[in-house]
Amino acid sequence: MSEAYVFNATNLDLEKAAELLTKLAAVSTEDEGGAVSLSNATQIWILIAAFLVFWMHAGFTMLEAGSVQHKNAVNIMFKNIGTVSIGAICYYLIGYGLAYGEDNAGEGSEAFISVGGFANKDMGNDNRHFFFFQFAFAATAATIVSGAVAGRINLPAYFATAAYLTAFVYPVV
């Protein structure tokens, strides 16, 4: 696919869009001399979306820092960096396994939460992009709570809340 075409409001041509989507769908799943397979294109798209969600943390940090007293601005910055760090560890160790791990329906119980796959056990490269996407949302959920309690909570209590949100609440809900 050597031609490039940009769609915008002035040159929207549905026939051209359908033609290009058909060409993209026709790309084989095997790598042919630099061609991008549909699976790789999906992974790239999910990673782009995950990066955009991850950058929401910077926006939330600036919003929160501007909403609190000057003396609390550094605390807000540290709290949001800690949210991402603690969120990454907790979601890696527990959260992703609860949400997308091994099913427990075969053991005589309902398939409510998973019982395996913790710490990304047996996860191949085909699912790592999805893990990053889900982690970005889990940490963003905790960052939203950070804004709600900005300047009203001490640091260890908030970090415990962020760990609980990313390890248990986001994966289950």
Side-chain angles (χ1 to χ4, degrees):
M1 194 178 336
S2 61
E3 59 187 273
Y5 191 79
V6 177
F7 293 100
N8 59 37
T10 59
N11 69 349
L12 182 61
D13 181 7
L14 295 179
E15 290 178 12
K16 185 71 170 178
E19 177 185 338
L20 289 175
L21 287 174
T22 304
K23 286 181 182 179
L24 179 63
V27 173
S28 66
T29 56
E30 58 191 52
D31 195 6
E32 299 175 355
V36 176
S37 70
L38 193 56
S39 174
N40 289 341
T42 301
Q43 288 180 4
I44 291 168
W45 177 250
I46 290 175
L47 282 173
I48 289 171
F51 293 144
L52 291 173
V53 172
F54 189 79
W55 275 102
M56 288 171 61
H57 293 282
F60 284 138
T61 301
M62 296 302 121
L63 176 67
E64 291 174 33
S67 300
V68 297
Q69 296 177 359
H70 180 70
K71 66 179 184 173
N72 293 334
V74 173
N75 185 350
I76 293 296
M77 305 288 179
F78 182 71
K79 187 169 25 171
N80 282 305
I81 290 173
T83 299
V84 173
S85 302
I86 290 171
I89 293 168
C90 291
Y91 196 72
Y92 171 78
L93 292 176
I94 301 170
Y96 190 81
L98 286 177
Y100 301 103
E102 299 169 10
D103 195 12
N104 66 350
E107 299 174 9
S109 64
E110 293 295 320
F112 177 60
I113 58 176
S114 301
V115 294
F118 299 106
N120 292 349
K121 181 182 175 205
D122 300 329
M123 178 188 283
N125 285 335
D126 292 341
N127 289 328
R128 295 201 190 276
H129 64 285
F130 185 68
F131 165 78
F132 182 70
F133 181 76
Q134 290 299 324
F135 147 71
F137 272 106
T140 300
T143 303
I144 292 171
V145 172
S146 168
V149 298
R152 298 179 188 93
I153 192 170
N154 65 0
L155 206 54
Y158 172 72
F159 283 157
T161 303
Y164 176 70
L165 286 172
T166 56
F168 298 107
V169 175
Y170 180 82
V172 174
V173 175

